[in-house]
Amino acid sequence: MEYYVLLKHLHMLCAYLSATLFIGRLLLDMAGKPNWRQSPLRRLPHINDTLLLSLAFTLLAIGPWQPFSHQWLGFKILLLLGYIMFGFAALKQSLAVPTRTICAVLALAQLAGIFYLARFKPVLFVLS
Ligand code: HEM
């Protein structure tokens, strides 16, 4: 179980880093500095996100959680898919700025939802 706690903290560290790197790239684009795409900032988020998801699936494998029984986890995975899709579009230079802005807002809202579900694990609806 100590092992589980250590992996969970690593997962959390990657989660905070992932959010920071995403917001940082959005801010650089907003400041008219798209050159981060020619720096390590291009690859670093992918490496971190791969680690984040590997740790997530390891926690699932060794912990008590099941996506179909624990609603917070099932919805977290759904929100993750939306966050990946809208996050990708928000950073896509070929899209128009208003489209990217809407995508950025949606991605950030879903990211907030992911953190909320992970932290509070609410029961969203009662199945009879
Ligand atoms: C952007 C993606 C993700 C973020 C930001 C994120 C964030 C977090 C955070 C902050 C926690 C700690 C909650 C707490 O106890 O305070 C956590 C725990 C956890 N996450 Fe994630 N997570 C992400 C993706 C995933 C995915 C895809 C899965 C499953 C496939 C997953 C499975 C878990 C599990 C099993 C725990 C441990 C719950 C516990 O033992 O309390 N996470 N996550």
Side-chain angles (χ1 to χ4, degrees):
M1 216 47 188
E2 275 171 40
Y3 191 47
Y4 178 88
V5 174
L6 173 69
L7 293 180
K8 176 171 145 171
H9 282 105
L10 281 175
H11 175 69
M12 289 167 72
L13 181 69
C14 289
Y16 296 128
L17 194 58
S18 177
T20 307
L21 288 168
F22 178 58
I23 293 167
R25 285 175 294 162
L26 286 178
L27 290 176
L28 284 171
D29 275 350
M30 281 170 64
K33 295 181 174 160
N35 289 353
W36 60 262
R37 291 174 177 80
Q38 277 83 53
S39 77
L41 255 188
R42 187 187 174 91
R43 301 250 174 268
L44 192 62
H46 297 304
I47 297 170
N48 180 62
D49 290 345
T50 305
L51 192 58
L52 171 72
L53 292 184
S54 309
L55 286 161
F57 286 107
T58 310
L59 288 174
L60 269 198
I62 66 173
W65 308 108
Q66 306 283 336
F68 291 107
S69 326
H70 300 104
Q71 296 172 7
W72 69 272
L73 185 57
F75 280 98
K76 188 174 153 177
I77 294 171
L78 285 182
L79 285 184
L80 173 74
L81 298 179
Y83 169 57
I84 292 173
M85 237 171 55
F86 287 109
F88 179 77
L91 295 172
K92 197 144 184 70
Q93 281 180 300
S94 58
L95 294 177
V97 171
T99 310
R100 289 175 61 187
T101 307
I102 293 170
C103 290
V105 171
L106 290 175
L108 289 172
Q110 290 177 91
L111 185 61
I114 292 174
F115 275 104
Y116 174 80
L117 290 173
R119 177 69 187 84
F120 297 104
K121 304 180 180 57
V123 174
L124 299 168
F125 47 86
V126 181
L127 298 172
S128 53

